[in-house]
Amino acid sequence: DTEVDTILEKLGDLLSANAFYEGNLIIKNLGQLANAHEMIKTGSDDPTVTVRGNVDVLVGTAGVTKDSIASVNLILAKIRSVQGTATITTNANADLAALTYVTGNVALNGTDGAATIAAGKLLTIDGNMTITGLTGAISLPTLGSVGNVNITEVAGKATVTSIDFSGMTSGKVETTTGNLVLAGATSVKLGGELPAVVTLAACTEFMHGGAVAQPALNLTLGGAAATMSLAATSFTGEVTITTKGNVNLPAVTKITTLTLIANTAASEAHLPALKETTGILDISEKFTTIDLTLLETLKEDLNIHGVVSVSLPALAKLTTRVSTITCPAATTFSAPKLDTGNVSGVHITLKAAV
C-alpha cells in the first residue's frame, strides 16, 4: 500500500546516503574494472558511493584500454566522495559526474591533450589539485575550497583555452608557484586570492569573484578589447594592471600603490568604491574616462594622465606630507571639498595651456 511504498522509498534514500566502497578503488586493467562493477552497481536507480580509500584510475597505455572508457565512466559516475586521494589518468574523455568531496589530493591527467576530465559537481578538496595535459576548457565553477590548484600545459599538445574556478573562496590557481601564465586562454574566471603574477596574453574576458584583500599583483590581459572585473575589496600590496580594455574594480575601497596601464585608446577605469590611497595611484594616458567618485583620502600622489575633465567630488583629506595631483591633459578640474589650505598642502598640476 501507499504507507509501505513510502517506508521503502525512505529506506532506499537512507541506504543511498550511506553507501560505501571499502578500501582503495584501483582500475588499471580489465580485471580490476570487472571487479569494480561487481562491487559498485551502476544502474540509474543505484546509489552513489563514498570510497573509503584512494581512487586510482588509468586508461590508456599500461592501463585499461581506451575502448573500455564507457564502462569506466559508469563507475566514475557513481563516486560521490573519496576519503583519500583521487588520481585519474586517461586518454579518453572521463566524467566524475557525482563527485563532490575529496579529503586528499586530486590529480587529473589528460595524457598530453588526448582527453578531457569533468567534475562538474566538485565542491571541496581538502588537499591540493593538479591538472596536467588537459586541452580546451577547464570548468570547475562549483569548487569552493581547495589547497592550491596547479595547471600544467603540454607544449604543442595540450593548451588550455578557458578556465572557470569562479566559486573558489580559498586557495589559488597557478601554473608555477606565484604565477598563472596561460598563453592561449581567452576566458579566465577565478575566485579567492590571485597569485602575484597573472599573464594572459590572449584573454578577452577576465572575471574575478573573490571578495578578498589582494596582496601584490601584476595582471596582464593581452586580448583585444578585454573585459575585466576584479572583486577584491582592498589592495594590500603593489598592484599593476595592464590591459587592452577597460578596468573595473567595483569593490576596492583602499589601495597602496596602484598602476593602471591601458594599451587601447579611450579606455575606462572604474573605481567607484575607492575611498583611500596610501600609495601612488597612476592612471595612464589612454584611460580617458575614470570613476573616482568616492575617493576621499589621498596619502600619496595621484597621476591621471589622459582625462580631460577630472572630477573628485569626495576628495577632502590629505596627510601630513605634500601630495601632488598631476593631470597633464585636464582642462577642467573639480574637487569641491578639498581644503587646499590644509597644513599638509597639495600641488595640482593641470594642462599647461590652462
Side-chain angles (χ1 to χ4, degrees):
D1 60 16
T2 303
E3 185 177 357
V4 173
D5 290 341
T6 301
I7 292 172
L8 290 174
E9 182 180 355
K10 290 183 178 180
L11 179 60
D13 291 342
L14 181 63
L15 292 172
S16 296
N18 292 279
F20 295 98
Y21 178 95
E22 300 291 346
N24 297 330
L25 175 59
I26 300 174
I27 303 175
K28 293 187 175 182
N29 56 52
L30 293 178
Q32 291 171 337
L33 176 59
N35 182 68
H37 275 278
E38 287 292 324
M39 303 299 293
I40 301 173
K41 302 306 178 184
T42 59
S44 59
D45 295 330
D46 291 317
T48 56
V49 302
T50 292
V51 178
R52 286 176 164 167
N54 301 325
V55 172
D56 192 357
V57 176
L58 176 60
V59 178
T61 304
V64 177
T65 54
K66 184 177 180 178
D67 58 8
S68 298
I69 188 61
S71 181
V72 172
N73 273 330
L74 288 174
I75 297 294
L76 295 181
K78 289 297 181 180
I79 300 174
R80 180 178 67 252
S81 62
V82 178
Q83 296 177 353
T85 62
T87 303
I88 311 295
T89 303
T90 178
N91 64 357
N93 294 347
D95 192 357
L96 294 150
L99 184 65
T100 60
Y101 177 44
V102 180
T103 64
N105 295 330
V106 174
L108 306 179
N109 191 323
T111 316
D112 294 345
T116 61
I117 304 173
K121 294 183 178 180
L122 186 57
L123 299 173
T124 302
I125 301 170
D126 289 345
N128 297 316
M129 184 179 208
T130 59
I131 298 173
T132 305
L134 294 186
T135 197
I138 299 174
S139 182
L140 293 165
T142 62
L143 181 61
S145 177
V146 60
N148 276 315
V149 177
N150 184 272
I151 299 173
T152 301
E153 297 180 294
V154 180
K157 295 181 179 180
T159 300
V160 174
T161 58
S162 68
I163 60 173
D164 187 348
F165 291 89
S166 53
M168 282 179 56
T169 56
S170 66
K172 299 177 186 177
V173 180
E174 301 172 317
T175 48
T176 59
T177 302
N179 298 273
L180 177 62
V181 181
L182 295 170
T186 58
S187 175
V188 173
K189 299 176 182 180
L190 300 169
E193 183 182 306
L194 299 174
V197 177
V198 179
T199 304
L200 306 167
C203 186
T204 57
E205 179 188 35
F206 181 85
M207 302 299 293
H208 172 258
V212 298
Q214 175 65 42
L217 171 66
N218 191 326
L219 170 64
T220 301
L221 306 177
T227 60
M228 69 85 67
S229 181
L230 202 157
T233 56
S234 64
F235 293 153
T236 60
E238 184 172 340
V239 173
T240 299
I241 299 174
T242 305
T243 181
K244 291 183 177 179
N246 298 335
V247 169
N248 289 289
L249 305 173
V252 172
T253 61
K254 184 177 181 179
I255 64 169
T256 55
T257 298
L258 174 61
T259 303
L260 302 180
I261 301 171
N263 290 323
T264 301
S267 292
E268 301 177 5
H270 297 279
L271 297 88
L274 181 63
K275 293 184 177 181
E276 181 178 344
T277 70
T278 61
I280 295 173
L281 173 56
D282 192 278
I283 303 174
S284 74
E285 69 277 1
K286 290 187 178 180
F287 287 106
T288 54
T289 299
I290 62 167
D291 182 357
L292 293 171
T293 303
L294 295 184
L295 180 59
E296 181 181 49
T297 303
L298 192 65
K299 294 184 177 181
E300 257 288 359
D301 295 342
L302 172 62
N303 304 316
I304 303 172
H305 295 278
V307 178
V308 172
S309 180
V310 175
S311 177
L312 303 171
L315 184 61
K317 299 177 182 178
L318 303 170
T319 63
T320 55
R321 71 178 296 280
V322 175
S323 296
T324 299
I325 300 175
T326 303
C327 307
T331 56
T332 63
F333 178 88
S334 174
K337 294 183 179 181
L338 183 61
D339 180 8
T340 56
N342 186 289
V343 67
S344 61
V346 60
H347 293 161
I348 300 174
T349 302
L350 306 178
K351 190 173 182 179
V354 177

